[in-house]
Amino acid sequence: MKRLKITTSPHIRDDMSTQKIMLLVIAALMPAAIAGVIHFGWRALLLMVFCVLFSMACEAICRILMKREQTVSDGSAALTGLLLAMNLPVTLPLWQAAVGCFVAIVIVKQLFGGLGQNFANPAITARVVLMVSVSSDMTHWIAPRTAAGEAFAYDAVTTATPLVSGTASMQDLFWGSTGGCLGETCAAALFFGGIFLIFMGLISPVTPLSYLGTVAVCSLIASGGDTYEMTYQLLSGGLLLGAFFMATDYVTSPMTSRGKLIFGIGCGLLTFLIRTFGSFPEGVSLAILLMNILTPYIDQLTMTKPFGAVRQKKEAK
């Protein structure tokens, strides 16, 4: 007869480790990363590899200097570097990319205690810092070589993003033959990666669906029912990359389903407002960053009450 053992929670365990989760998310990003290399050439691959390796080096050095357990092998630094690279224009100088990696890993992540303690998404915060600091380089877009039909010179062929020009075709937006950050242009690859994450149970569909749905409804209302404009807004810019891969971050997004719904709607509203009325054509990064700051309050608002719990009354002074 087996003895009954009383232990503390958690009682249900899974073999899904942090490292495995990070590797699966990196795998989900691979279609968009490969599309970026196809459309923008070897410089895209160089930028992604550089950001991954530099981010891992920053984390390893930080853990040594802080005399804490080494965490570089869990894959979170590599994922942050890859996400940051996919949010950068392919022509960005490597030293500026290094500054972004330093901000993401050292300042946003490690100085707040490491993985699980950061208040905001490291890659998004780094992108916003670079946008404010080196805005001219962060808005230097290159026409994909697949659109030009041949290899191009980075200093010679420049273009506007679809959100700026408003002239890209739906086919170009879907397959990525447009200007923009190296990982955000191919909607087909991002859809595939997002569906993979949902199918594997790594992310809840509530956040991306509420995010995309809010942008769709707002765009439909603002355009007077123009479905073409609504679809254009959904497929252009960094909306799909943000909705599937950054707004769903475990640490900086709400834990409850109601919280995820509020978070997604908030991201969608802010993205639409910044795109429509802001000075920047893109609003995904700022929207998610602002909602990251509100996440603790959303969690507090939507926290479920334990069964049978009674809230204690405050004693009168």
Side-chain angles (χ1 to χ4, degrees), residues 170-223:
M170 289 298 170
Q171 182 178 355
D172 288 340
L173 291 174
F174 190 74
W175 295 114
S177 302
T178 60
C181 294
L182 66 89
E184 70 180 20
T185 61
C186 185
L190 293 169
F191 271 126
F192 181 83
I195 293 171
F196 172 79
L197 291 179
I198 295 173
F199 177 77
M200 293 296 295
L202 295 176
I203 65 171
S204 167
V206 175
T207 298
L209 288 180
S210 58
Y211 192 168
L212 297 173
T214 301
V215 173
V217 170
C218 291
S219 301
L220 200 62
I221 295 173
S223 62

Side-chain angles (χ1 to χ4, degrees), residues 5-309:
K5 294 182 180 180
I6 300 175
T7 59
T8 57
S9 61
H11 303 294
I12 301 175
R13 301 181 183 274
D14 198 295
D15 61 352
M16 185 68 75
S17 63
T18 299
Q19 184 185 60
K20 189 173 181 179
I21 291 173
M22 298 302 166
L23 291 177
L24 286 172
V25 177
I26 290 174
L29 283 168
M30 282 298 103
I34 293 171
V37 175
I38 293 173
H39 292 309
F40 297 107
W42 65 269
R43 186 59 164 69
L45 179 61
L46 174 63
L47 186 59
M48 285 187 283
V49 172
F50 176 81
C51 286
V52 169
L53 294 179
F54 196 86
S55 295
M56 293 176 68
C58 286
E59 174 139 332
I61 294 171
C62 270
R63 303 303 290 188
I64 292 172
L65 294 177
M66 298 166 70
K67 297 181 180 179
R68 294 185 178 180
E69 180 184 356
Q70 193 58 256
T71 57
V72 70
S73 62
D74 65 13
S76 60
L79 176 58
T80 297
L82 181 59
L83 274 174
L84 176 59
M86 297 181 77
N87 277 279
L88 301 177
V90 70
T91 55
L92 190 76
L94 293 183
W95 72 266
Q96 294 180 6
V99 171
C101 295
F102 179 86
V103 171
I105 299 298
V106 178
I107 296 178
V108 181
K109 184 180 177 186
Q110 292 301 327
L111 290 185
F112 282 88
L115 181 65
Q117 305 299 320
N118 46 290
F119 74 98
N121 186 294
I124 286 181
T125 307
R127 184 181 190 272
V128 171
V129 169
L130 289 174
M131 276 294 297
V132 174
S133 305
V134 288
S135 57
S136 59
D137 289 328
M138 284 291 290
T139 53
H140 183 241
W141 312 111
I142 294 298
R145 63 180 181 179
T146 50
E150 58 184 10
F152 51 81
Y154 285 107
D155 294 331
V157 183
T158 58
T159 184
T161 64
L163 282 172
V164 174
S165 65
T167 57
S169 68
M170 289 298 170
Q171 182 178 355
D172 288 340
L173 291 174
F174 190 74
W175 295 114
S177 302
T178 60
C181 294
L182 66 89
E184 70 180 20
T185 61
C186 185
L190 293 169
F191 271 126
F192 181 83
I195 293 171
F196 172 79
L197 291 179
I198 295 173
F199 177 77
M200 293 296 295
L202 295 176
I203 65 171
S204 167
V206 175
T207 298
L209 288 180
S210 58
Y211 192 168
L212 297 173
T214 301
V215 173
V217 170
C218 291
S219 301
L220 200 62
I221 295 173
S223 62
D226 188 347
T227 56
Y228 181 89
E229 175 63 21
M230 176 195 71
T231 308
Y232 196 95
Q233 288 292 325
L234 290 176
L235 298 182
S236 56
L239 182 58
L240 294 177
L241 180 62
F244 285 115
F245 293 97
M246 294 185 289
T248 55
D249 178 50
Y250 290 164
V251 180
T252 58
S253 61
M255 294 181 291
T256 65
S257 295
R258 284 190 300 160
K260 294 179 190 296
L261 178 64
I262 295 171
F263 186 87
I265 293 173
C267 287
L269 286 173
L270 288 172
T271 298
F272 173 77
L273 291 174
I274 294 170
R275 283 183 172 186
T276 306
F277 304 106
S279 57
F280 293 109
E282 181 58 281
V284 172
S285 295
L286 284 172
I288 296 175
L289 179 59
L290 290 171
M291 291 306 296
N292 284 164
I293 298 172
L294 295 177
T295 292
Y297 303 101
I298 297 175
D299 275 334
Q300 187 176 13
L301 178 67
T302 59
M303 186 182 301
T304 55
K305 186 178 71 173
F307 180 75

